[in-house]
Amino acid sequence: MKYDFETVHKRFNTGSMKWNELSKFGVKEADDIIPFSVADMEFVTPPEIVAAIKNQLDTSIMGYENPSPDYLASVCSWLKSRHNWNAEPEWILPSHGVVDAFFQAVRTFTEEGDGVMLMTPVYYPMYTAINSTRRKLVDNPLINTETRYEIDFEDMEQKAADPNTKMLILCSPHNPVGRVWTREELTRIGEICLRNNVLVVSDEIHFDLIMPGNKHTVFASINDEFADNCLVLTAPSKTFNIAGLQTSNVLIPNPELRERFLQTLRLSNPNPKCNILGYYAAEAAYKLCGKWLDECLIVIDTNRRIIADFLKRELPMLKPYRLEGTYLQWIDMNGLGIDYRELERINHEEAGLFFDEGYVFGKQGEGFERWNLACPSRYIEEALARMKTAYTKHMKI
Ligand SMILES: Cc1ncc(COP(=O)(O)O)c(C=O)c1O
């Protein structure tokens, strides 16, 4: 490996969303564990990105900045080289984050009481985007086949046909179940949505994090009709561990939809833009960090394998789902025979382990854990050993 995927900067007693939880439960700095919850990485930021930020700091220019032509070109060039999508710079609107973008999309393209479809279980802020704006959740539960999740197209078609259903927020790849939707699946989704006038908001924040043997397809790249009926949300944040810079992109090929979205952004700021350092970081990431990403994916895939092998051997009642994309391993813990709230307590208080609890992603997630694999393998191994010790004491089978 050319890059450093071993150093961890422990973020105890900082503002870290992820690490604060450890302190809350009394985990001490000396304890050799890290949290596996919130989806940021425990890897140091690629040095090319740090250098780009330092360069910008050295200019002492920190003024307002809109996306530069170079920044926009770097985004398009990444989309072309990594995802074979010919996106145009003028399709790109800046956003402080992908969550912010899908909230704005809901406000722009639906009214109070309108239905917004989610394929559940799913990333929990998507529910909030619907509930907090008084839209109606249209639940399209994924079918759990015990090794992977499939789409219930019949249910989707039926619910999309309700004239009240106006939008689908698509999570692609899917957090938390780790699916990379195939081109065929996306085509069926796109056709159902077109037939029923349902706008697709495609959250593709995890689209660079694809495990060997899988291929991500950008929804809008499938055909011009789909491109005209969607927003594609992307960011370098998950891919390169720069989520705190809050720089992401909303790509809207359809000029009318783009103008409407822009008008919403302008309701709260006449000149929407991102953090100046975020642009330079993202540009460096897209121009210089492809190799870093390739190595990072090897580490994630190795961690995935370590877990699969260990669980099969030592805790076969736990079922890890096939990780096709994202760095978030979805595991069914129900085989332990331990109530999921009690399991959460055991993890926190006895094992000192912090996953994202499956129930936060929806009812179907009860008894599941979402394990963030973006960390050095030694922490994965330590966590597995702790799981074995703690669970063996409590197992009801
Ligand atoms: C599917 C999905 N969308 C959006 C986000 C967060 O996006 P942002 O930090 O850009 O708001 C996450 C973070 O985990 C995610 O998994």
Side-chain angles (χ1 to χ4, degrees), residues 39 97-100 102 123 126 171 175 203 205-206 237-238 243 248:
V98 165
V99 170
D100 199 63
F102 62 65
Y123 181 53
M126 292 178 177
C171 194
N175 172 11
D203 175 343
I205 195 168
H206 294 280
S237 52
K238 293 282 158 219
S248 60

Side-chain angles (χ1 to χ4, degrees), residues 3 5 13 74 100 125 136 154 161 197 213 229 232 245 273 284 323 337 356 365-366 373 381:
Y3 290 100
F5 292 98
N13 303 317
S74 73
D100 199 63
K136 218 171 119 236
E154 221 174 282
N197 285 323
N229 186 44
V232 178
L245 290 171
K273 58 200 156 313
L323 185 72
D356 259 352
E366 286 176 6
L373 307 188
E381 283 158 355

Side-chain angles (χ1 to χ4, degrees), residues 2 15 25 48 104 138 141 196 218 230 245 308-309 312:
K2 173 178 166 201
F25 281 90
E48 292 83 355
Q104 301 291 5
V138 179
N196 294 289
V218 174
C230 77
L245 290 171
D309 291 349
K312 197 167 167 194

Side-chain angles (χ1 to χ4, degrees), residues 76-178:
C76 293
S77 155
W78 182 264
L79 292 169
K80 177 65 191 164
S81 64
R82 284 264 166 174
H83 298 286
N84 198 25
W85 185 32
N86 292 307
E88 303 286 341
E90 62 268 23
W91 297 350
I92 303 175
L93 298 176
S95 165
H96 294 294
V98 165
V99 170
D100 199 63
F102 62 65
F103 268 70
Q104 301 291 5
V106 168
R107 285 200 189 95
T108 308
F109 300 109
T110 66
E111 309 277 343
E112 276 192 25
D114 283 350
V116 178
M117 193 184 296
L118 295 179
M119 294 148 66
T120 61
V122 77
Y123 181 53
Y124 50 89
M126 292 178 177
Y127 297 101
T128 319
I130 296 170
N131 298 333
S132 69
T133 55
R134 303 206 176 116
R135 274 58 170 173
K136 218 171 119 236
L137 170 67
V138 179
D139 192 4
N140 172 230
L142 293 167
I143 301 168
N144 181 355
T145 69
E146 312 261 306
T147 50
R148 81 200 296 236
Y149 285 75
E150 306 284 352
I151 299 167
D152 187 341
F153 284 109
E154 221 174 282
D155 181 75
M156 179 181 280
E157 177 90 55
Q158 196 195 333
K159 289 174 177 163
D162 179 341
N164 197 53
T165 305
K166 300 288 173 28
M167 177 181 282
L168 165 70
I169 305 180
L170 173 66
C171 194
S172 175
H174 193 97
N175 172 11
V177 307

Side-chain angles (χ1 to χ4, degrees), residues 22 44 46 92 98 105 119 185 195 208-209 278 322 342 345 361:
L22 288 194
V44 288
I92 303 175
V98 165
M119 294 148 66
E185 287 171 315
R195 259 199 304 281
D208 294 316
L209 299 154
R322 199 162 90 195
E342 171 63 1
R345 187 200 66 72
F361 302 96

Side-chain angles (χ1 to χ4, degrees), residues 132-279:
S132 69
T133 55
R134 303 206 176 116
R135 274 58 170 173
K136 218 171 119 236
L137 170 67
V138 179
D139 192 4
N140 172 230
L142 293 167
I143 301 168
N144 181 355
T145 69
E146 312 261 306
T147 50
R148 81 200 296 236
Y149 285 75
E150 306 284 352
I151 299 167
D152 187 341
F153 284 109
E154 221 174 282
D155 181 75
M156 179 181 280
E157 177 90 55
Q158 196 195 333
K159 289 174 177 163
D162 179 341
N164 197 53
T165 305
K166 300 288 173 28
M167 177 181 282
L168 165 70
I169 305 180
L170 173 66
C171 194
S172 175
H174 193 97
N175 172 11
V177 307
R179 277 296 319 275
V180 173
W181 306 119
T182 62
R183 191 179 180 87
E184 291 67 35
E185 287 171 315
L186 292 168
T187 302
R188 283 185 78 180
I189 293 173
E191 284 167 354
I192 290 172
C193 289
L194 266 185
R195 259 199 304 281
N196 294 289
N197 285 323
V198 171
L199 179 68
V200 178
V201 175
S202 187
D203 175 343
E204 303 193 22
I205 195 168
H206 294 280
F207 72 160
D208 294 316
L209 299 154
I210 306 299
M211 294 300 108
N214 299 280
K215 184 164 171 18
H216 177 80
T217 304
V218 174
F219 179 78
S221 72
I222 295 174
N223 63 45
D224 290 345
E225 288 162 296
F226 290 4
D228 256 356
N229 186 44
C230 77
L231 285 69
V232 178
L233 316 180
T234 75
S237 52
K238 293 282 158 219
T239 312
F240 300 104
N241 198 25
I242 49 175
L245 290 171
Q246 300 208 261
T247 302
S248 60
N249 298 301
V250 182
L251 290 106
I252 314 180
N254 180 327
E256 197 188 310
L257 298 180
R258 190 161 67 239
E259 185 54 32
R260 282 176 67 190
F261 189 81
L262 191 54
Q263 289 311 325
T264 302
L265 297 184
R266 286 187 174 143
L267 287 177
S268 45
N269 186 337
N271 183 3
K273 58 200 156 313
C274 293
N275 177 319
I276 185 171
L277 296 177
Y279 292 131

